[in-house]
Amino acid sequence: MNPRKAVPAAALLAMTLMATACGAQEDGPDTGGNAPKQVVMNEQQAIARAEEIIGEAVDGMSPRPTLERMGPAPVGPCLAHDDHRPDDRVQVTLIYKLTGVPGTQAQNLVRQARDAWRKHGYVNQSGEQDWETDYPAVYMRTKADDFWMNAVTGVLDRARKEGLASLKVTSPCFLPPDKASSAADPAAFEPQDADDPAARRALGHSSRIYDVLRAGSAPAQPGEGLSRVPGGSGAAVHHTWSTPALPEDERLRVVERARAYFAGEGWRVRPLPTADGHPGVVAGHPEEHTVAQVVVSATGTVRVAVTTPVDGTDSAEA
């Protein structure tokens, strides 16, 4: 397998090597707002949080829909230029169609998304919804980190009152780490030469993990793949990719295959469940000090991340 072609990347839970915290406010909360919020995070963190919010809406749905992602790129320029001038901020927008269920269930799915988000303490921005309409929509936001989301019903067949539900989450505008601080590592998050020794190590481990998981790979997403990131005592090479969305029982088998592979190869292995309880493992190579993560995401994909020190002597361990 050629990992540069057969192991594309997708959104990944932020690695511990990432330096900035999601949602950190430099200017304080927006109080009515003439100045842009100086939120500092990176693309991976913003995408992971948006996917978490999507997962919170979908996890308890009945009937259970299939998530079909819309649009090629989740990251774009900030659209909320609230001081009427351009800036370097960007924002993440994820949109998923809820497919695989009867069209008559679309309104029910929108209601369930609203109820699930309410349970998490998110704020309704659309007032009291008229559920007598055939195609309702709800608009909400998170209070703590100011992500905005909606659940809407599009028309499929008006005569039969059939629709198609979709979920959309938009992050606050944020400054990427290299824009937020002049002290940021200028090589952080930049494409890495695949012929570099550390890059070859990372790609080699990714390729072997790909073969072990036997689950395939998802289409590539912007901002993922092979990159250079700051480490605790020096730079590291980071390679990320994900599987397609998988059934729940297959996700568990994939994580178990990863655990068994790492253990059999002498890696130090420990469980790494997500905050929502999705399973995962993190493993540390005993000689290279490479760290690998295999974690189930809220959207049903399994994310893989391999990080290896550039000089081979970083002390990172699982």
Side-chain angles (χ1 to χ4, degrees):
M1 170 200 156
N2 183 340
R4 278 176 256 175
K5 294 182 179 179
V7 187
L12 172 73
L13 295 175
M15 292 286 289
T16 55
L17 292 174
M18 301 298 183
T20 56
C22 178
Q25 297 284 338
E26 292 182 358
D27 291 348
D30 186 9
T31 57
N34 296 320
K37 295 179 181 180
Q38 298 300 300
V39 179
V40 181
M41 66 177 86
N42 59 47
E43 293 177 6
Q44 290 92 339
Q45 290 168 325
I47 293 170
R49 176 60 175 142
E51 286 193 325
E52 179 183 30
I53 294 168
I54 295 285
E56 289 167 347
V58 173
D59 280 349
M61 283 185 175
S62 179
R64 177 80 177 192
T66 299
L67 288 173
E68 182 179 332
R69 187 155 155 178
M70 300 172 61
V75 181
C78 174
L79 299 180
H81 297 309
D82 37 20
D83 59 345
H84 307 290
R85 65 173 175 79
D87 57 43
D88 293 326
R89 294 177 299 163
V90 295
Q91 62 187 155
V92 162
T93 300
L94 293 182
I95 306 175
Y96 284 91
K97 294 188 292 186
L98 306 186
T99 63
V101 298
T104 54
Q105 291 294 320
Q107 182 186 115
N108 181 34
L109 297 181
V110 169
R111 186 193 294 266
Q112 290 183 66
R114 181 208 59 177
D115 292 345
W117 284 334
R118 274 184 172 177
K119 289 181 180 178
H120 284 84
Y122 303 155
V123 179
N124 190 346
Q125 299 294 122
S126 52
E128 192 59 36
Q129 175 61 51
D130 178 10
W131 295 103
E132 295 302 316
T133 180
D134 296 330
Y135 303 103
V138 296
Y139 300 87
M140 304 182 72
R141 70 176 179 88
T142 67
K143 290 194 294 185
D145 48 9
D146 203 31
F147 279 68
W148 289 70
M149 59 277 200
N150 61 51
V152 302
T153 316
V155 178
L156 287 181
D157 188 328
R158 192 175 296 276
R160 297 182 181 180
K161 297 184 178 180
E162 293 184 356
L164 177 66
S166 65
L167 304 177
K168 176 181 177 181
V169 176
T170 302
S171 77
C173 296
F174 62 90
L175 285 171
D178 60 341
K179 299 289 186 181
S181 172
S182 59
D185 181 354
F189 315 114
E190 292 181 356
Q192 179 70 17
D193 182 359
D195 292 327
D196 176 83
R200 289 199 298 270
R201 285 199 304 274
L203 289 169
H205 288 302
S206 265
S207 179
R208 288 185 285 275
I209 294 169
Y210 175 90
D211 292 339
V212 166
L213 299 190
R214 305 197 304 274
S217 56
Q221 297 297 327
E224 296 294 331
L226 192 65
S227 61
R228 181 181 171 119
V229 298
S233 59
V237 171
H238 189 53
H239 186 242
T240 65
W241 58 278
S242 71
T243 72
L246 302 171
E248 182 176 5
D249 56 348
E250 181 60 15
R251 294 174 226 157
L252 297 176
R253 285 193 289 267
V254 165
V255 172
E256 175 55 27
R257 287 178 200 138
R259 187 207 62 76
Y261 164 72
F262 290 132
E265 293 295 315
W267 293 55
R268 296 176 298 274
V269 188
R270 63 178 174 83
L272 185 68
T274 69
D276 289 334
H278 299 292
V281 294
V282 60
H285 194 283
E287 297 172 357
E288 297 174 4
H289 306 299
T290 295
V291 175
Q293 293 187 21
V294 179
V295 182
V296 173
S297 78
T299 55
T301 65
V302 176
R303 298 195 182 103
V304 177
V306 176
T307 304
T308 191
V310 168
D311 60 6
T313 60
D314 198 321
S315 60
E317 294 185 1

